[in-house]
Amino acid sequence: MTKLNKNQVVRRYGKALFEVSCDQDNLVDIYNELLEIEKIFIENTTLSTCLSSKLLTNDQKKQLIKPLLDNASELINRFLNLLLEYSRIEYLKDIIDFFKDEYNKKSGIVNAKVTTVVDLDDNQIDKIKKILSKKLSVKKINLEQKCDPDIIGGVVIKANDMLIDGSIKTKLNMIKKILD
């Protein structure tokens, strides 16, 4: 039997949890519960390190996540115990990320990042969301804004596997290549 790599483990467990959530018609509840668990991992950065440690037994790891188990729904409780039983708990954060991606796909939500030199106002952000929503044929765009003076001007948008680079820096680099 071949050993699964991290991506295979994350995909299998994440997909299984997603499908069971859909089958049980509690996708939104499980999604929200996983967001709460993710917050706990963000607030307690050492938790992930401890769960990945080979020095701790599964029983010790179970004690670490006992508060999660006590407050979890039946499905999440069984899922976390399954991860512990098969020594996969170290992948929990990645599995949550996979689940969120699947949830967003099913819900027609795309996470995008827009980079400009200056902060955009609400009107500009709404305009970008509408254009992206139409271009990608999705219901909702979650837009993260970032300022980067290195792009000189213009806008860079990353969404899904799409990159729209309308930055002056990129245009100057293209002119430079042509001239060289």
Side-chain angles (χ1 to χ4, degrees):
M1 188 163 96
T2 60
K3 187 174 179 179
L4 299 175
N5 67 37
K6 178 183 174 181
N7 291 336
Q8 291 171 318
V9 169
V10 168
R11 183 168 178 72
R12 280 191 187 178
Y13 282 81
K15 188 175 181 182
L17 180 61
F18 185 80
E19 288 175 356
V20 170
S21 299
C22 289
D23 290 346
Q24 292 183 357
D25 200 29
N26 63 352
L27 181 62
V28 175
D29 293 338
I30 297 300
Y31 174 78
N32 289 327
E33 193 170 349
L34 290 174
L35 291 180
E36 290 300 315
I37 292 171
E38 182 180 47
K39 266 190 224 172
I40 292 168
F41 274 85
I42 290 168
E43 292 168 1
N44 302 292
T45 54
T46 56
L47 181 59
S48 200
T49 307
C50 290
L51 293 176
S52 299
S53 174
K54 304 294 182 206
L55 300 174
L56 298 178
T57 66
N58 278 351
D59 287 336
Q60 291 170 316
K61 291 176 183 181
K62 193 170 191 170
Q63 285 303 311
L64 280 175
I65 66 165
K66 187 174 181 346
L68 292 178
L69 294 170
D70 291 344
N71 296 315
S73 65
E74 182 184 342
L75 177 59
I76 293 296
N77 196 312
R78 287 190 327 231
F79 185 74
L80 293 175
N81 277 308
L82 182 75
L83 292 177
L84 281 167
E85 184 181 333
Y86 288 97
S87 300
R88 307 281 200 219
I89 194 70
E90 67 190 81
Y91 302 121
L92 179 59
K93 188 152 177 4
D94 295 309
I95 292 168
I96 292 172
D97 289 339
F98 179 88
F99 188 98
K100 289 183 341 187
D101 289 343
E102 292 299 303
Y103 177 86
N104 287 341
K105 284 179 203 169
K106 183 173 178 74
S107 303
I109 300 170
V110 169
N111 294 316
K113 191 178 288 186
V114 62
T115 305
T116 55
V117 175
V118 295
D119 284 331
L120 300 173
D121 62 35
D122 291 341
N123 191 29
Q124 292 168 319
I125 290 172
D126 287 341
K127 200 179 247 185
I128 291 171
K129 284 181 177 182
K130 284 178 186 169
I131 291 168
L132 281 176
S133 180
K134 190 173 182 178
K135 185 169 183 77
L136 299 172
S137 302
V138 294
K139 297 176 190 173
K140 183 179 176 188
I141 301 286
N142 291 331
L143 196 62
E144 179 186 328
Q145 185 181 347
K146 179 181 164 191
C147 288
D148 182 2
D150 289 343
I151 69 168
I152 304 170
V155 64
V156 177
I157 300 172
K158 293 178 184 174
N160 285 351
D161 296 330
M162 181 182 72
L163 173 67
I164 301 170
D165 191 341
S167 68
I168 292 176
K169 179 181 179 179
T170 298
K171 290 178 182 177
L172 289 172
N173 286 336
M174 287 179 0
I175 292 170
K176 184 179 175 185
K177 282 182 184 178
I178 291 170
L179 295 175
D180 285 344

